[in-house]
Amino acid sequence: MANDEVTEEWVLYTHKCSRHMSKAEWEQTTHESSHFFSHPPRPPTSMENDKNNTNSPEQQSSGNANKPQADQEPFRCDLSHLPLPSRNFFLKGQHCAAPPQHVEYSVFKKGVFPEWEDENCQGEWFVKHYFPPKVLDDYWFSLVKGIMSGKIDSRYVAGIRVVDKSHSKHPLYRLELWLNTTVQKTRDQVRDQAMSCLTMDPHYAFKFHWRKFELETSNSSSSSSVVSSVVSSVAPGGEIGKEQPTAQAQPSLVDMMAQQAVVTDEATPQ
């Protein structure tokens, strides 16, 4: 059992997106492009943890001397087919406005579809920022590699997305790490693991913001329901993709009666 390893299958989806595309159109333009098989280190069981704790420090050190650490194990997942977003995204300096249709990428665990309605998708860590092409590619590749190699605990990861949010002549991108849990301790741990996989460019450093997926069973669209949940979930200073209109307060019964009394007094002859 000690030599057992976990094999995980991940699916690369490509999406052709436009600003005014419906959900049905988005699903029709979503295709499986590649499959990746990773072998992340198997988390130790409670019995193995107890056994390690009962050994003396000398036994533990001698046993670990011949055992490669998790971060020293060879990375066994071919990512040569992983597309780089800079080859298809709108880039700074292009002499045209952002294209009306573009390609986006998602890498999700086999059996999980990259949409909010999937029961395995509970929330996301996201950042919305401009990055130079090389920085964007490095961040995207490092996060995918972190999941495949086990540096990011893939048990809690549903998938990862890179999205082109450019508009007009201003390039803007979004990195999303979707989780299958909303437990704060677990999601914070996954966030810290993701950040440790990145070699931050000091000019383009960022912090992840949390958003919980909450779908309402009403006639409103799924997207509006999810955006509404962001307003209450994102930490102060977090970025929200769309500003929500503020609902106008309805007058109370007391205000209406007071207003009617004023009208009556004005109409009464002195």
Side-chain angles (χ1 to χ4, degrees), residues 116-136:
W116 301 313
E117 291 85 355
D118 194 300
E119 61 181 5
N120 295 289
C121 302
Q122 299 295 318
E124 67 172 1
W125 285 112
F126 75 94
V127 58
K128 190 176 180 183
H129 204 285
Y130 165 73
F131 303 110
K134 186 180 184 307
V135 176
L136 176 65

Side-chain angles (χ1 to χ4, degrees), residues 109 112 118-125 153-159 177-191 193 210-213:
K109 195 171 290 184
V112 182
D118 194 300
E119 61 181 5
N120 295 289
C121 302
Q122 299 295 318
E124 67 172 1
W125 285 112
D153 197 335
S154 59
R155 293 176 299 172
Y156 308 109
V157 176
L177 185 61
W178 289 30
L179 305 186
N180 58 21
T181 179
T182 58
V183 178
Q184 182 172 356
K185 182 179 180 180
T186 303
R187 58 182 172 89
D188 288 351
Q189 178 182 345
V190 173
R191 176 203 59 199
Q193 293 170 346
W210 173 253
R211 179 172 76 161
K212 181 180 179 182
F213 298 155

Side-chain angles (χ1 to χ4, degrees), residues 209-252:
H209 303 287
W210 173 253
R211 179 172 76 161
K212 181 180 179 182
F213 298 155
E214 294 180 347
L215 301 178
E216 298 177 357
T217 56
S218 62
N219 294 329
S220 60
S221 64
S222 300
S223 59
S224 63
S225 301
V226 173
V227 170
S228 298
S229 70
V230 177
V231 177
S232 59
S233 301
V234 173
E239 300 181 31
I240 301 173
K242 195 173 184 180
E243 183 178 357
Q244 300 299 310
T246 303
Q248 295 182 356
Q250 298 295 327
S252 64

Side-chain angles (χ1 to χ4, degrees), residues 84-220:
L84 299 178
S86 67
R87 297 180 181 177
N88 288 290
F89 282 18
F90 179 70
L91 304 178
K92 194 172 185 178
Q94 290 182 345
H95 301 289
C96 62
Q101 191 175 76
H102 53 275
V103 178
E104 298 173 349
Y105 304 107
S106 302
V107 175
F108 272 67
K109 195 171 290 184
K110 178 67 175 179
V112 182
F113 194 70
E115 62 181 3
W116 301 313
E117 291 85 355
D118 194 300
E119 61 181 5
N120 295 289
C121 302
Q122 299 295 318
E124 67 172 1
W125 285 112
F126 75 94
V127 58
K128 190 176 180 183
H129 204 285
Y130 165 73
F131 303 110
K134 186 180 184 307
V135 176
L136 176 65
D137 291 344
D138 288 346
Y139 286 176
W140 160 247
F141 186 88
S142 296
L143 289 173
V144 174
K145 183 178 179 180
I147 295 173
M148 302 291 178
S149 64
K151 291 185 177 180
I152 302 175
D153 197 335
S154 59
R155 293 176 299 172
Y156 308 109
V157 176
I160 181 174
R161 284 169 37 86
V162 59
V163 183
D164 188 351
K165 288 292 186 180
S166 303
H167 56 87
S168 183
K169 297 182 179 180
H170 305 286
L172 189 64
Y173 315 118
R174 185 178 170 109
L175 289 168
E176 304 172 356
L177 185 61
W178 289 30
L179 305 186
N180 58 21
T181 179
T182 58
V183 178
Q184 182 172 356
K185 182 179 180 180
T186 303
R187 58 182 172 89
D188 288 351
Q189 178 182 345
V190 173
R191 176 203 59 199
D192 295 341
Q193 293 170 346
M195 295 297 290
S196 68
C197 293
L198 301 174
T199 302
M200 281 287 183
D201 186 310
H203 299 289
Y204 299 97
F206 66 86
K207 293 182 179 180
F208 278 116
H209 303 287
W210 173 253
R211 179 172 76 161
K212 181 180 179 182
F213 298 155
E214 294 180 347
L215 301 178
E216 298 177 357
T217 56
S218 62
N219 294 329
S220 60

